[in-house]
Structures are given as C-alpha cells and as structure tokens.
C-alpha cells in the first residue's frame, strides 16, 4: 500500500534545489510531504500537471496595496486577488498608507484587515520615522512584520527620513535587514525645477541617476558603520548595480520587471503611465541592470506594485502620481524573458522564491522541499497570451503591458496546499496568513 496525501500534483516539470525534472509532489496539511514518483500513492485530490511547470510559490517583496487610506486605488482584497491571478503566493506590503504603518497598532490593524480578505500570504513593512526610530528594534520583531522600510527620498505619501543622523539612529536600533527607497532628497529638491509641465519624459531628468547613486552610496556607508544589513529596493541605474557588486556583505539588491523591460523610449506612448520612482531610464541603465542580474549582484525581483487610477494618471505631469500596477504581471512578463533567453528558469526561482526566503529569513517558504509550505506557482511555459487591461484585478484596472503578448502564463496558484487560482478563476475563499520569519518566530 502506497502513501496517502491530501493532494498530489502529478507529472509536472518541477524546478527545485535538485534541478529541473518531471516529478510528482505529495501534499498534506498544507505542507510538502514527498517529491518523486508517487505512482503507488493515493490522494484525496490529484491535480494533473502534465505539460505544466511547477515553481516554488513566487514571493513579491514589494507591493503597495493602499489600505487603509486610498482604497479607491487598491485594497488588501483586490491587491491580493491580483497577486494570485498572476501566480504570486505571498506579498510584503509597504507602509506608505494613510495612516502610515509606523506603530504596533497600525501593523495590527493591517493584519486584522487582511484576515479573511487576503488571498495570499502576507507580511507588512514597518515604516521608519524620526519619531519611532528608537522603537524599531521592538516593532520589527512583531508577528507579521517583514522588517523596516525607510524612504530616504520622497515618493507617494509623506514617509521620509533624509538625514544621515536619523538614518543612523534607525540602523543602530534594528537587527533585521531593512529596506530602503534610495533617492537623495536634497538633490531631488534642488532639481525640482527641471520637471517640465506636461512632459513626463523629464521625470528621469529630475530624479536622475546621480540622485539614486548618492543615496545608495550613503546607505552603504551608514550600514557599514552601524554593522547592519540593508536592502536597496528597485535599483534603477547601471552605476548603482556596479557599485553594489562591491558591497554584497551589507547590501542586497532588488530589481523590478519594469526597469528590466521598459525604457525611456516608452514615455512617448505611455506618458504618465510610465512615471515611476525611481524612474524608468534609458536603455544604458536597462542593460546595466541585466548585467547585475546575470552576474548575481541582483538578489531578487519585486514588482513595486503601485497602483493609481487612470483619472489620477491623467493629471498633467508633474501633478500626476508616480507608480504603476505590477503584482499580476511579474510572473508572465519575467517568464517571457526566460523564454527569450534573458535569464534561466532557475534564476527566476532564485530571484522570486529562494532569494526572498534567504534575504528576509522566511520560515518554510521559497523551496519545493519536504516540510515546506505547499506554495506553488504553476505555469505553462508555452502559452502565448495577450496581457489586457481587462485581466487586471487591481482597482486601477490598467497595466503598462496592455497589448503585450507573452509566451508563458501562470495557470495555477497554490497557497499552503489549497488551489486558490486555476485558469484565471479564484477557487477558494481568502485564507491568506501572515508569513513567518526565522528571526521573529515566537519562543515557547
Ligand atoms: O513610483 C512609486 N510609487 N515609487 C514608490 O516608491 C512609491 C510608489 C507609490 O506608493 O505610489
């Protein structure tokens, strides 16, 4: 008599620590139990995965879901629905909401709002401010907290910590890796006059490569002095990537699909839809980012999902807000790049599952291995499909990739053993749970 599982995923091409190959996966109680030929086993449910590729669940470590405060753009339900429709099984959400996530009460409020409404697993970043800097050591340890996030250059919202002294206080009070939006605020202020009304193509002139590089260099210097680990979000310049290659002992690196696949040439067709902080720049930077991806300097891919409504985006630049949706398109856009030969499928997994788990010390996610959560992103690597605005579940209902045909598609999303999405349909109630972290597991 063979083993019995709750679910067997049958015959998919599994990408895991062991390589790439056809295997069955047995799942019980939401955990992976067995990997291999499970021909003699039985299960309550068998999912036919022949012809499909099974990846460890994709973890998007940078999304803005706007709740509380701007639910007309997005909320935790719609944002997480977009995530699972796009094959994403867990998200880390950013603190620039209203109120901001800068206290234990604000974090608890988000976790409470997420319960029974979020379709994927989740954690929330704690915003670092001058006021809470000395408490961050305790705040970052709270269950459901992904760590501390600091804006050293202003973006959407008012979270900002621009002085070295203040950043130093934050770094000296925390232990976990902290995430940073790196654009130099004094330089942004100095150059604000370079924005030309009605011309979003001047966005990267204002927020230039030097602004990004200055902030990244300062952060590395401060992190080194304080002996802390930092995570530079959405690296957008070739120079930062080359610099960060020399500082991997203190700094980890995120790149985004939009900085890897779009360039300043598209301001003509996309206008303010392309407006993002840090900006999408010319192709020299795109090439530099791919070089950092190829040589391993870049650790992870995050979408920086930052929805704004079409009405808001229709305001003339620079009154138009910065940001675009991305959580739902991360998997198809980047797997299309895999098929185009720009990165391997193993590297994709390294950057979307193993990488997030390694950097943020996630417990039991990020690998297809016995004892780990049964989170899977199930994809068809041969499905050609057009990305359309209609498909976007985000409240903003648009994507800069509308009209773009990709060569791979997420067909199934499993979160802790439950199929939450299959062929574009939501199949389960919203039972997302807080992500657990090794550094903050409760002690008994
Ligand atoms: O363009 C951006 N929009 N960059 C950010 O860092 C924040 C985001 C938002 O929240 O809209």
């Amino acid at each position: 008599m063979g083993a019995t599982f709750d679910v067997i995923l049958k015959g998919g091409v599994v990408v895991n620590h062991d390589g790439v190959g056809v295997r069955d996966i047995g799942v019980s109680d939401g955990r992976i139990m067995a990997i291999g030929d499970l021909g003699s086993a039985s299960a309550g449910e068998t999912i036919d995965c022949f012809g499909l590729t099974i990846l460890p669940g994709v973890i998007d470590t940078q999304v803005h879901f706007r709740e509380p405060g701007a639910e007309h753009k997005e909320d935790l339900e719609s944002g997480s629905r977009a995530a699972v429709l796009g094959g994403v099984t867990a998200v880390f959400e950013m603190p620039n909401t209203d109120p901001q996530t800068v206290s234990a009460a604000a974090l608890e409020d988000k976790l409470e709002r997420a319960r029974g409404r979020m379709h994927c697993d989740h954690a929330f970043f704690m915003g670092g401010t001058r006021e809470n800097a000395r408490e961050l050591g305790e705040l970052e340890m709270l269950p459901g907290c992904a760590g501390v996030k600091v804006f050293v250059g202003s973006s959407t919202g008012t979270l900002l910590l621009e002085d070295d002294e203040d950043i130093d206080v934050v770094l000296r009070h925390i232990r976990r890796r902290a995430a940073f939006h790196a654009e130099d605020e004094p330089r942004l202020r100095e150059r604000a006059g370079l924005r030309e009304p009605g011309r979003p193509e001047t966005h990267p002139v204002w927020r230039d490569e030097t602004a990004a590089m200055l902030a990244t260099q300062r952060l590395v210097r401060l992190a080194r002095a304080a002996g802390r680990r930092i995570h530079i979000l959405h690296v957008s310049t070739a120079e930062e990537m080359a610099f960060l290659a020399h500082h991997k002992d203190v700094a980890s690196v995120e790149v985004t699909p939009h900085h890897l696949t779009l360039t300043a040439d598209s301001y003509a067709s996309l206008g303010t839809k392309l407006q993002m902080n840090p900006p999408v720049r010319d192709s020299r930077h795109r090439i530099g980012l791919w070089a950092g991806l190829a040589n391993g300097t870049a650790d992870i891919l995050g979408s920086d999902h930052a929805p704004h409504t079409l009405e808001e985006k229709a305001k003339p630049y620079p009154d138009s807000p910065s940001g675009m949706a991305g959580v739902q398109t991360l998997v198809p856009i980047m797997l299309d790049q895999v098929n185009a030969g720009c990165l391997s499928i193993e590297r994709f997994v390294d950057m979307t599952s193993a990488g997030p788990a390694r950097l943020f010390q996630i417990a039991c996610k990020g690998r297809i291995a016995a004892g780990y959560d049964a989170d899977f992103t199930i994809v068809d690597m041969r499905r050609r499909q057009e990305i359309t605005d209609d498909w976007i579940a985000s409240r903003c209902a648009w994507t800069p990739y509308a009209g773009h045909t990709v060569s791979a598609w997420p067909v199934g999303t499993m979160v802790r053993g439950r199929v939450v999405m299959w062929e574009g349909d939501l199949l389960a109630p919203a039972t997302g749970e807080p992500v657990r972290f090794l550094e903050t597991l409760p002690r008994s």
Side-chain angles (χ1 to χ4, degrees), residues 41-376:
S42 56
E45 184 188 0
T46 299
I47 302 175
D48 179 0
C49 293
F50 288 95
L52 299 177
T53 301
I54 304 176
L55 312 175
V58 168
I59 303 167
D60 186 347
T61 49
Q62 192 187 177
V63 302
H64 300 263
F65 280 175
R66 310 299 192 201
E67 180 180 348
E71 289 89 341
H72 67 286
K73 299 180 202 270
E74 195 74 291
D75 66 23
L76 295 174
E77 191 282 323
S78 60
S80 62
R81 184 155 33 93
V84 299
L85 288 170
V88 170
T89 56
V91 294
F92 293 1
E93 206 266 345
M94 286 293 165
N96 58 335
T97 44
D98 183 14
Q100 299 162 340
T101 322
V102 292
S103 65
L107 174 68
E108 191 47 47
D109 178 52
K110 279 195 174 173
L111 287 164
E112 192 60 47
R113 289 165 181 272
R115 203 164 301 143
R117 286 178 61 235
M118 281 190 80
H119 300 273
C120 60
D121 286 354
H122 44 269
F124 299 99
F125 275 104
M126 181 66 64
T129 67
R130 195 179 276 181
E131 290 71 34
N132 72 5
R134 290 181 164 75
E135 296 153 37
L136 288 171
E138 284 102 65
L139 293 173
E140 68 172 355
M141 299 303 282
L142 294 170
C145 182
V148 169
K149 155 80 184 279
V150 175
F151 285 86
V152 307
S154 52
S155 189
T156 302
T158 54
L159 269 179
L160 180 65
L161 205 64
E162 58 172 298
D163 296 335
D164 284 8
E165 298 71 41
D166 293 333
I167 298 166
D168 185 59
V169 176
V170 167
L171 288 170
R172 288 183 194 273
H173 281 83
I174 60 174
R175 289 265 180 277
R176 298 177 70 187
R177 184 182 297 278
F180 290 86
H181 180 118
E183 288 183 284
D184 185 74
E185 187 64 15
R187 187 167 173 94
L188 296 185
R189 265 200 303 271
E190 209 177 279
R191 296 172 66 81
L194 296 174
R195 292 176 289 186
E196 293 180 29
R199 297 192 64 217
E201 62 273 31
T202 60
H203 198 59
V205 178
W206 168 38
R207 305 180 83 109
D208 68 346
E209 51 262 71
T210 306
M213 183 63 160
L214 282 175
T216 291
Q217 286 175 326
R218 277 171 54 207
L219 287 167
V220 165
R221 179 170 46 75
L222 291 166
R224 203 171 276 299
R228 294 291 184 265
R229 292 165 292 162
I230 57 172
H231 179 57
I232 308 291
L233 296 161
H234 41 48
V235 169
S236 64
T237 70
E239 287 78 13
E240 284 172 284
M241 195 59 87
F243 170 76
L244 286 164
H246 299 286
H247 298 282
K248 295 299 294 175
D249 51 342
V250 292
S252 54
V253 174
E254 178 197 70
V255 283
T256 70
H258 51 275
H259 288 118
L260 288 168
T261 62
L262 301 170
T263 66
D265 293 342
S266 294
Y267 284 107
S269 55
L270 290 171
T272 59
K273 283 184 175 174
L274 193 62
Q275 182 191 331
M276 194 79 202
N277 300 332
V280 169
R281 307 183 192 277
D282 63 36
S283 61
R284 182 177 75 77
H285 292 295
R286 197 175 71 85
I287 292 165
L289 299 182
W290 276 105
L293 192 147
N295 70 19
T297 305
D299 293 280
I300 60 176
L301 272 164
S303 72
D304 193 9
H305 176 82
H308 297 287
T309 64
L310 284 174
E311 202 182 348
E312 290 160 340
K313 280 290 200 182
K315 290 183 186 161
Y317 182 81
D319 297 333
S320 43
S322 296
M324 59 175 78
V327 72
Q328 198 172 337
T329 48
L330 182 151
V331 171
I333 288 294
M334 291 309 297
L335 290 181
D336 189 46
Q337 299 290 309
V338 169
N339 280 339
C342 300
L343 75 164
S344 67
I345 190 96
E346 293 91 337
R347 179 65 167 133
F348 175 83
V349 167
D350 178 48
M351 297 188 80
T352 53
S353 298
R358 170 171 55 83
L359 297 191
F360 293 99
Q361 296 284 293
I362 300 172
C364 297
K365 290 192 188 294
R367 316 176 72 190
I368 298 178
Y372 274 59
D373 289 351
D375 296 345
F376 304 113

